[in-house]
C-alpha cells in the first residue's frame, strides 16, 4: 500500500498541469528560505532553477544509475548521500524509490508532456509514502547548492534529495543524521548498528570470519551496508587521517566478496581467496591509500580478468577496496540493513513478521498510564505498553526493532529531537493473557539511545515473552512501531487488560478471587512404570479446567522444566494439579502426579509424585507457588 504524502496525487497533479500547459509549482514546498532552513539562512543568496535552466538537455539518468553519480553539496548529509550510493547499486531497490522512472524521464519526442513534476517513495513508519515535488532546485553561482551528479545533465540525486528534504521539513533538517534511518527509508528493512570496537573483532579471527560471513550474506541478499570511523570530538569531525580515510564520515559499502588470488588456469584450482570489501566516500574523492588501494602493488597478485570482474579502477572517484582485516583495523561502526524476506516462494530464509503500532500516552491513573520510563523507574516501569509473543521452536533467532515516529519535520517548532528509547524482553508464564504487575525474568533488551530506531538480534528458548517498549525517562509521549521477526508465527499481540473482565457470566458463575503463579522448576529421578524409565518427560499443570503444558525435555530423568503458568481461581481450597508424562511416538505414558496446595503467599517446595496404582514413588518435582488475593499483584 502506498500513501500520498499530504494527500498530493502525482498523476492528478501532472494531468492538471498538462491540461493547463504549465509547469508544476509545489505549494507545500515553496521556492523560499522556509524550504531551505528551519532557522536562518546560512548560505546567502539562493536562486531556484529548473533543470532546463541549468543545461540544454537534462536527464533523470545519464548512462544508467551508479554510486558514482552522487556528490555531497553544502549540507552535512553524508549519511544520506552514503545511503543513496548504496541504493544506486541495487536496481530492485532504487526502482521502488524512483517509481515508473522511464515515464518520469524527459521525453525529447513529446516535450509538451513535461510538467516539471516528479515523485519518489520512501518507507516511513510502516508505510510506503509517495512524495511529490516540482523540479525547481536551489542554486548559487550557477550551480546546485546541494547533492549533485558527476554529469551536469543528470538530476536524479538532486531530485531524490529534494523529496526527502520535503518529507523532513526542509533541507537543513538533513544537516546531520543517521545512515541507518535513510537505509530503512529506502528499503523498509531493518538496520542493525554494530560497534566494531566493543565486540572484540580486531583480536579474534573466529569472530572476524563470522562477521564477514554475516556481512557477505546481507550484501548477497540485496541488503544495504554503511560504515564510519567514529569522531570523539567536534574537532575530529571530517578530519582526514594519514591513511586517506575521513573521521565522522559515512561511507557506503558498494561490494563485499572473496577475491581469488593468482593468475591463469592455476588460479581456479587454488583455494587462496581474500576477504575484501569496497567502499565509497560521498565526497567522490579522498580514498584509502593503504594496501589494496587503487594503484597499489598488491593488485598484481590478482589476474586481470578477476580485476575486471570486480571493477578495480585507478580513478580518484572516492571508491576503493581494502581487506576485511584492514577494514576492522580502521573503521569503528558498521550498519547492516537487512531486507526481511517474508515470501514463501524464496530460496532464502523466510521470516514471519509481526507489526505493532503503539504510543506512549500519559495518564494520572497508574493503570492507564503508558509513559513509565525505563527499569530505573521501578514504580512506573510496568505501566508501559506490553506486547506478548511466543517462541514455538526449542530455540529460535528473533529480530526485534522498535522505531519511534520521525520528528525532523518539527525541528522548526523546537520539537525535533528524538526521544531516548529502548525495550526490555521478559520471559513470562506460558498462558499469560493479562498485563504484568510485577517484573518477571529478564532475558534481553536493547540499549537506550536517542536514535529513531533500536534493534536486537536474539536467540530465545521455547516459551512466552513480553516486550516492554519504553522511553528512558517517564512522562514522555510519542508514537512507535514495534516489529518482531521470527522463524514461525509468534502470535504477537498487545496486553491491554489488567485482570479478567467482569461479564454477566461472572456474576452467575463467580469471579476469580485469587491469582496463582506456578513455576515448575525441575524434576528428579523420574521413573516410568516399566523398565524403560522416563526419557522424554513433560508436565501438565491444571487448575479449574485451565491447563499449561511444558515443552518436552529430551532424554532425561532429571528434567529442567523451568515452566510457568498463571491461574485465576474461584475455589481457594481446590489444589492445583501437576501431572508428568513421558512422550512416546504412539501414545504418551503417565508417570505420576502431585496436588499442590495453593495457599496464599510465596513459597518453594519439593513434592513427591504419586503413581497411578503403584505404591512406588516415581520421582519428585520442585515448584514455586505464588498466590495473591489481589489480581493486579502478578
Amino acid at each position: 500500500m502506498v500513501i500520498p504524502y499530504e494527500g498530493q496525487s502525482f498523476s492528478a497533479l501532472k494531468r492538471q498541469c498538462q491540461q493547463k500547459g504549465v509547469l508544476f509549482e509545489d505549494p507545500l514546498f515553496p521556492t523560499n528560505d522556509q524550504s531551505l532552513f528551519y532557522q536562518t539562512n546560512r548560505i546567502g543568496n539562493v536562486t531556484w532553477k529548473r533543470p532546463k535552466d541549468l543545461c540544454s538537455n537534462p536527464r533523470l539518468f545519464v548512462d544508467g544509475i551508479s554510486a558514482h553519480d552522487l556528490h555531497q553539496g553544502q549540507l552535512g548529509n553524508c549519511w544520506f548521500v552514503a545511503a543513496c550510493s548504496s541504493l544506486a547499486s541495487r536496481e530492485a531497490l532504487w526502482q521502488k524509490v524512483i517509481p515508473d522512472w522511464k515515464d518520469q524521464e524527459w521525453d525529447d519526442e513529446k516535450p509538451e508532456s513535461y510538467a516539471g513534476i516528479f515523485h519518489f517513495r520512501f518507507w516511513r513508519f510502516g508505510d510506503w509514502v509517495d512524495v511529490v515535488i516540482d523540479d525547481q532546485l536551489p542554486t548559487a553561482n550557477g550551480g546546485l547548492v546541494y547533492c549533485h551528479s558527476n554529469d551536469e545533465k543528470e538530476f536524479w540525486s538532486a531530485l531524490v534529495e529534494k523529496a526527502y528534504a520535503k518529507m523532513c521539513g526542509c533541507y537543513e533538517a538533513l544537516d546531520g543524521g543517521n545512515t541507518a534511518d535513510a537505509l530503512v527509508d529506502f528499503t523498509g528493512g531493518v538496520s542493525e548498528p554494530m560497534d566494531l570496537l566493543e565486540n572484540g573483532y580486531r583480536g579474534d579471527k573466529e569472530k572476524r570470519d563470522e562477521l564477514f560471513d554475516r556481512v557477505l550474506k546481507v550484501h548477497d541478499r540485496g541488503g544495504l551496508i554503511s560504515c564510519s570511523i567514529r569522531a570523539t570530538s567536534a574537532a575530529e569531525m571530517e578530519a582526514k587521517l594519514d591513511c586517506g580515510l575521513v573521521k565522522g564520515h559515512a561511507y557506503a559499502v558498494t561490494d563485499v566478496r572473496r577475491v581469488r588470488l593468482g593468475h591463469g588456469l592455476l588460479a581456479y584450482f587454488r583455494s587462496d581467496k581474500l576477504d575484501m570489501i569496497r567502499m565509497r566516500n560521498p565526497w567522490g574523492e579522498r580514498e584509502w591509500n593503504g594496501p589494496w588501494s587503487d594503484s597499489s602493488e598488491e593488485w598484481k597478485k590478482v589476474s586481470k580478468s578477476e580485476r575486471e570482474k570486480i571493477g578495480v579502477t585507478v580513478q580518484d572517484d572516492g571508491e576503493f577496496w581494502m581487506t576485511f582485516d584492514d577494514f576492522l583495523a580502521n573503521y569503528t561502526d558498521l550498519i547492516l540493513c537487512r531486507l526481511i524476506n517474508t515470501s514463501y516462494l524464496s530460496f532464502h530464509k523466510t521470516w514471519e513478521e509481526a507489526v505493532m503500532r503503539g504510543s506512549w500516552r500519559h495518564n494520572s491513573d497508574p493503570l492507564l498510564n503508558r509513559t513509565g520510563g525505563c527499569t530505573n523507574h521501578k514504580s512506573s516501569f510496568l505501566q508501559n505498553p506490553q506486547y506478548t509473543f511466543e517462541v514455538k521452536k526449542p530455540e529460535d533467532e528473533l529480530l526485534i526493532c522498535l522505531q519511534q515516529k520521525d520528528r525532523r519535520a518539527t525541528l522548526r517548532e523546537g520539537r525535533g529531537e528524538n526521544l531516548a528509547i529502548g525495550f526490555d524482553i521478559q520471559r513470562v508464564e506460558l498462558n499469560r493473557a493479562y498485563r504484568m504487575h510485577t517484573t518477571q525474568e529478564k532475558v534481553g533488551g536493547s540499549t537506550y539511545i536517542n536514535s529513531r530506531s533500536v534493534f536486537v538480534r536474539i536467540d530465545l528458548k521455547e516459551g512466552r515473552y513480553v516486550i516492554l517498549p519504553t522511553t528512558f525517562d517517564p512522562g514522555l509521549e510519542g508514537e512507535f512501531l514495534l516489529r518482531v521477526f521470527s522463524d514461525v508465527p509468534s502470535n504477537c499481540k498487545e496486553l491491554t487488560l489488567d485482570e479478567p473482565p467482569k461479564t454477566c457470566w461472572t456474576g452467575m458463575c463467580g469471579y476469580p478471587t485469587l491469582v496463582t503463579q506456578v513455576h515448575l522448576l525441575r524434576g528428579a529421578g523420574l521413573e516410568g512404570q516399566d523398565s524403560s524409565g522416563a526419557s522424554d518427560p513433560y508436565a501438565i499443570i491444571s487448575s479449574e479446567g485451565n491447563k499449561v503444558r511444558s515443552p518436552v525435555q529430551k532424554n532425561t530423568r532429571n528434567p529442567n522444566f523451568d515452566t510457568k503458568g498463571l491461574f485465576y481461581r474461584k475455589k481457594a481450597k481446590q489444589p492445583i494439579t501437576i501431572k508428568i508424562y513421558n512422550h512416546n511416538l504412539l501414545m504418551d505414558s503417565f508417570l505420576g502426579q502431585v496436588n499442590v496446595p495453593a495457599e496464599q503467599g510465596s513459597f518453594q517446595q519439593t513434592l513427591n509424585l504419586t503413581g497411578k496404582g503403584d505404591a512406588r514413588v516415581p520421582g519428585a518435582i520442585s515448584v514455586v507457588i505464588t498466590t495473591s488475593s489481589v489480581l493486579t499483584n502478578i
Side-chain angles (χ1 to χ4, degrees):
M1 179 179 173
V2 179
I3 298 173
Y5 181 74
E6 297 292 344
Q8 287 183 306
S9 167
F10 169 75
S11 56
L13 290 170
K14 183 176 182 179
R15 186 166 56 250
Q16 290 172 13
C17 291
Q18 288 173 333
Q19 290 172 349
K20 295 178 181 178
V22 298
L23 296 178
F24 178 59
E25 292 192 12
D26 187 3
L28 300 185
F29 204 63
T31 55
N32 58 31
D33 282 1
Q34 181 179 334
S35 298
L36 297 173
F37 315 103
Y38 63 85
Q39 291 178 334
T40 57
N41 186 328
R42 299 190 300 176
I43 294 178
N45 187 37
V46 172
T47 304
W48 295 77
K49 292 185 178 181
R50 298 185 187 269
K52 66 180 181 60
D53 300 323
L54 294 168
C55 66
S56 58
N57 188 25
R59 286 286 179 269
L60 198 57
F61 303 118
V62 173
D63 297 327
I65 184 171
S66 163
H68 299 276
D69 296 340
L70 296 113
H71 291 274
Q72 186 181 340
Q74 296 184 43
L75 265 180
N77 67 338
C78 62
W79 60 278
F80 173 77
V81 179
C84 283
S85 292
S86 295
L87 177 72
S89 64
R90 301 293 191 187
E91 183 175 353
L93 296 181
W94 68 252
Q95 287 190 8
K96 219 169 188 178
V97 174
I98 311 174
D100 43 78
W101 61 273
K102 290 182 180 178
D103 293 333
Q104 294 204 70
E105 185 62 89
W106 276 264
D107 189 342
D108 294 333
E109 295 181 3
K110 298 179 181 177
E112 71 282 356
S113 67
Y114 185 72
I117 185 171
F118 291 88
H119 70 131
F120 303 93
R121 288 175 183 168
F122 308 104
W123 189 91
R124 301 286 279 186
F125 208 61
D127 295 305
W128 282 95
V129 179
D130 193 79
V131 182
V132 172
I133 58 167
D134 62 38
D135 66 352
Q136 299 179 92
L137 298 168
T139 70
N141 301 317
L144 292 174
V145 173
Y146 301 123
C147 189
H148 54 280
S149 293
N150 268 335
D151 194 310
E152 64 173 10
K153 296 180 180 179
E154 185 176 61
F155 289 93
W156 76 266
S157 59
L159 293 168
V160 167
E161 182 187 51
K162 179 176 182 178
Y164 200 78
K166 175 181 176 178
M167 188 175 62
C168 293
C170 65
Y171 276 94
E172 191 181 359
L174 308 187
D175 197 356
N178 191 330
T179 307
D181 293 344
L183 294 177
V184 170
D185 290 342
F186 289 158
T187 64
V190 173
S191 280
E192 178 182 8
M194 303 186 71
D195 187 324
L196 301 177
L197 297 178
E198 271 189 6
N199 293 302
Y201 296 110
R202 293 181 179 180
D204 189 325
K205 185 181 185 306
E206 188 175 332
K207 281 189 173 182
R208 289 200 303 272
D209 292 344
E210 181 185 333
L211 178 61
F212 183 80
D213 288 339
R214 195 185 312 167
V215 174
L216 182 63
K217 184 184 291 186
V218 171
H219 175 77
D220 286 348
R221 294 187 180 179
L224 303 183
I225 306 170
S226 177
C227 57
S228 61
I229 302 172
R230 198 176 309 149
T232 56
S233 68
E236 285 189 347
M237 288 297 292
E238 310 293 0
K240 184 179 179 182
L241 304 176
D242 291 340
C243 63
L245 302 178
V246 181
K247 275 194 169 185
H249 201 58
Y251 287 78
V253 174
T254 56
D255 203 354
V256 182
R257 64 175 69 211
R258 290 189 164 95
V259 176
R260 189 184 300 276
L261 301 178
H263 296 266
L265 287 175
L266 288 176
Y268 288 93
F269 297 99
R270 294 174 59 184
S271 59
D272 294 350
K273 289 186 178 181
L274 206 57
D275 293 346
M276 302 281 284
I277 186 166
R278 186 177 71 192
M279 283 146 291
R280 184 173 187 275
N281 184 340
W283 287 346
E285 55 185 18
R286 295 193 181 177
E287 299 182 4
W288 161 253
N289 55 33
W292 300 94
S293 54
D294 283 358
S295 55
S296 69
E297 292 290 313
E298 283 82 5
W299 284 110
K300 292 181 180 178
K301 300 176 184 178
V302 178
S303 67
K304 182 181 178 182
S305 62
E306 185 79 356
R307 291 198 303 270
E308 290 175 350
K309 177 182 170 184
I310 65 176
V312 177
T313 66
V314 293
Q315 298 173 322
D316 186 21
D317 55 6
E319 193 168 49
F320 54 88
W321 287 90
M322 62 197 308
T323 66
F324 196 64
D325 283 354
D326 281 337
F327 169 79
L328 290 175
N330 286 277
Y331 285 88
T332 61
D333 295 275
L334 177 68
I335 298 170
L336 302 178
C337 183
R338 289 179 172 83
L339 302 188
I340 305 299
N341 174 37
T342 56
S343 170
Y344 292 107
L345 303 177
S346 172
F347 292 108
H348 299 310
K349 177 178 172 64
T350 297
W351 294 90
E352 295 286 346
E353 179 184 25
V355 180
M356 302 284 120
R357 295 177 184 272
S359 60
W360 296 291
R361 289 287 176 261
H362 182 70
N363 194 296
S364 56
D365 184 343
L367 290 180
L368 300 177
N369 183 46
R370 295 295 177 263
T371 59
C374 69
T375 50
N376 294 346
H377 308 278
K378 292 181 172 57
S379 63
S380 61
F381 170 64
L382 291 175
Q383 295 171 14
N384 285 294
Q386 300 180 12
Y387 295 86
T388 181
F389 68 92
E390 296 174 37
V391 175
K392 300 177 183 177
K393 298 169 61 178
E395 190 169 42
D396 195 8
E397 178 188 37
L398 287 94
L399 310 179
I400 302 174
C401 180
L402 173 67
Q403 179 179 331
Q404 62 183 305
K405 198 159 193 178
D406 192 70
R407 300 160 73 93
R408 282 180 178 268
T410 59
L411 279 167
R412 186 172 279 107
E413 291 82 33
R415 296 184 289 110
E417 295 300 320
N418 287 324
L419 302 173
I421 62 170
F423 57 86
D424 254 31
I425 308 170
Q426 299 196 11
R427 186 166 178 257
V428 298
E429 306 86 357
L430 288 176
N431 61 337
R432 175 170 284 277
Y434 304 106
R435 287 176 55 83
M436 294 190 302
H437 295 277
T438 59
T439 56
Q440 303 290 324
E441 176 193 357
K442 179 174 178 177
V443 295
S446 72
T447 56
Y448 279 81
I449 187 171
N450 60 342
S451 172
R452 201 179 75 185
S453 63
V454 291
F455 171 87
V456 162
R457 179 167 43 85
I458 188 171
D459 293 321
L460 293 175
K461 294 181 179 179
E462 186 174 358
R464 182 170 290 193
Y465 299 85
V466 167
I467 302 173
L468 294 100
T470 85
T471 57
F472 185 77
D473 295 315
L476 300 177
E477 296 192 324
E479 296 179 57
F480 62 82
L481 186 76
L482 177 67
R483 294 195 284 168
V484 178
F485 300 92
S486 54
D487 196 35
V488 295
S490 63
N491 296 341
C492 188
K493 61 183 179 181
E494 185 176 6
L495 297 176
T496 57
L497 298 176
D498 290 291
E499 59 189 37
K502 294 180 180 179
T503 66
C504 59
W505 291 107
T506 58
M508 297 168 56
C509 305
Y511 187 76
T513 58
L514 296 176
V515 57
T516 299
Q517 182 193 75
V518 180
H519 186 184
L520 179 56
L521 298 175
R522 60 190 65 85
L526 298 183
E527 297 285 349
Q529 295 185 39
D530 54 36
S531 59
S532 65
S535 58
D536 297 326
Y538 66 89
I540 294 179
I541 310 169
S542 59
S543 172
E544 299 183 26
N546 297 310
K547 297 180 180 180
V548 169
R549 174 173 166 158
S550 78
V552 173
Q553 306 295 301
K554 294 289 186 179
N555 196 29
T556 180
R557 295 182 183 182
N558 302 295
N560 180 24
F561 287 114
D562 193 18
T563 296
K564 291 181 182 179
L566 196 62
F567 300 95
Y568 292 88
R569 302 167 53 232
K570 303 170 188 174
K571 302 171 184 176
K573 294 183 179 179
Q574 183 170 318
I576 292 172
T577 301
I578 301 176
K579 295 183 178 180
I580 308 296
Y581 291 84
N582 184 39
H583 179 64
N584 295 310
L585 185 62
L586 296 178
M587 188 173 71
D588 295 347
S589 56
F590 174 77
L591 298 181
Q593 73 176 47
V594 64
N595 293 328
V596 181
E599 300 169 1
Q600 196 146 317
S602 181
F603 56 91
Q604 177 176 343
Q605 58 185 193
T606 299
L607 301 169
N608 291 325
L609 296 168
T610 58
K612 185 181 290 185
D614 185 0
R616 188 164 54 86
V617 176
I621 57 170
S622 177
V623 64
V624 177
I625 304 291
T626 303
T627 298
S628 172
S629 59
V630 181
L631 294 175
T632 54
N633 275 355
I634 292 181

